[in-house]
Amino acid sequence: MHRYRYREGSEYLPQSEQNRRVSCAVKNRKTRRRQRRRKKQLERAIHAQSVSLDGLAELHPRGVVSFDLEMAGAFPDDIIEIGAIRLPLGSDKIEVFRRLIRPRTFINRTVRNMTGLTKEDLRDKSTLDVILPEFLDFVDPEDLVVGHAIGDNDLLSINLALMRMNHQNGTNIRFCPRYLDTVRLAQQLLPKRKKYNLIALLESFGWHSKKKHRAFEDALASYVLLECLLEDSAEKPAWLPDLLTRQGGRELVLQYLDYKEDAH
């Protein structure tokens, strides 16, 4: 018996209802296939912008942005926090971006425990369609973007959110900057390590996090890790900004990280 014709304990479904259900099922399958294709296209576009260690010296960015996201947990595009620092070249400034975002779904228990954020913390915050354009304006198109596992996670999450917003607004916006992933950099420079998570790598250089897992703190930590990884590397570009020597840089970092020299 055709599955759309009969439900156990009920009468036969009318032909019109059978047709409607078949039509909905076909439409849903097509939608899922289309979404998978678009996601694959986004992944290829993002990975094409990845910068290798050998290619760093050839870059001439206007600045370096280190950023991180926190997610609500249920969907990869439900962003609840964006944290970033921007170090413009030719300037001693440190530009800061910190925003909490009201989720469109819910915050799961793992995220609550990890970040300390609750729905009450985010209830009166702006939604992502307000905050995300502000972040895109914060990043100069000629900047180099840095982060921990951003190629497979954060950049994809932003573009999935943009894809949904594009569908709603009739726009065609992507965020595919040149980027350097500190996970891949660490794998290249420290190939014998077993763990490449941010906390473990930082601790191997003597840095220890003071606070819970949050976007701005991890953005700072990712840049500190980048400098540690490249400290003795011949490929370290002369233009790479030194966060700790910038005005207010050391004080900013030490708000969130401790350094123990004997742990290096």
Side-chain angles (χ1 to χ4, degrees), residues 33-184:
R33 285 198 296 267
R34 185 164 59 248
Q35 289 172 341
R36 287 194 293 268
R37 285 198 302 269
R38 288 177 178 174
K39 184 178 178 182
K40 289 293 184 183
Q41 290 170 354
L42 281 175
E43 289 173 340
R44 288 194 294 268
I46 290 167
H47 292 160
Q49 294 296 92
S50 177
V51 176
S52 66
L53 179 60
D54 297 339
L56 273 179
E58 301 173 4
L59 295 181
H60 301 284
R62 291 181 182 171
V64 182
V65 173
S66 182
F67 87 96
D68 189 71
L69 307 176
E70 297 300 338
M71 318 300 297
F75 296 95
D77 64 339
D78 197 4
I79 301 167
I80 59 173
E81 186 176 28
I82 304 176
I85 58 169
R86 181 174 185 268
L87 306 176
L89 272 62
S91 167
D92 196 40
K93 293 193 303 181
I94 300 174
E95 300 172 6
V96 170
F97 187 95
R98 304 183 70 171
R99 299 287 192 279
L100 290 173
I101 301 160
R102 186 168 75 245
R104 63 185 180 91
T105 57
F106 61 92
I107 307 176
N108 69 23
R109 182 181 300 177
T110 300
V111 173
R112 291 197 302 270
N113 293 339
M114 186 170 59
T115 66
L117 291 171
T118 66
K119 62 180 181 181
E120 287 75 21
D121 296 323
L122 307 175
R123 192 188 305 277
D124 63 343
K125 303 303 179 185
S126 298
T127 54
L128 186 62
D129 61 341
V130 174
I131 301 300
L132 189 51
E134 294 178 2
F135 176 66
L136 299 186
D137 287 341
F138 177 79
V139 182
D140 188 287
E142 297 300 318
D143 285 345
L144 174 68
V145 171
V146 173
H148 207 66
I150 59 169
D152 297 323
N153 296 315
D154 301 79
L155 289 172
L156 181 59
S157 291
I158 285 178
N159 279 284
L160 289 173
L162 285 172
M163 187 166 66
R164 177 170 47 82
M165 292 162 61
N166 287 336
H167 180 72
Q168 295 170 350
N169 303 326
T171 52
N172 186 27
I173 302 171
R174 281 189 178 185
F175 181 60
C176 296
R178 294 171 300 178
Y179 72 92
L180 182 63
D181 193 321
T182 50
V183 171
R184 295 187 180 185

Side-chain angles (χ1 to χ4, degrees), residues 204-248:
S204 71
F205 289 101
W207 291 97
H208 301 267
S209 179
K210 292 182 180 181
K211 301 191 177 184
K212 279 186 175 284
H213 181 72
R214 293 287 297 277
F216 184 74
E217 287 81 343
D218 286 356
L220 271 176
S222 295
Y223 195 84
V224 170
L225 175 61
L226 172 66
E227 292 202 78
C228 290
L229 289 169
L230 293 178
E231 183 177 6
D232 299 319
S233 173
E235 286 85 2
K236 179 180 179 180
W239 51 259
L240 186 71
D242 186 338
L243 174 58
L244 293 175
T245 61
R246 290 215 164 188
Q247 185 176 2

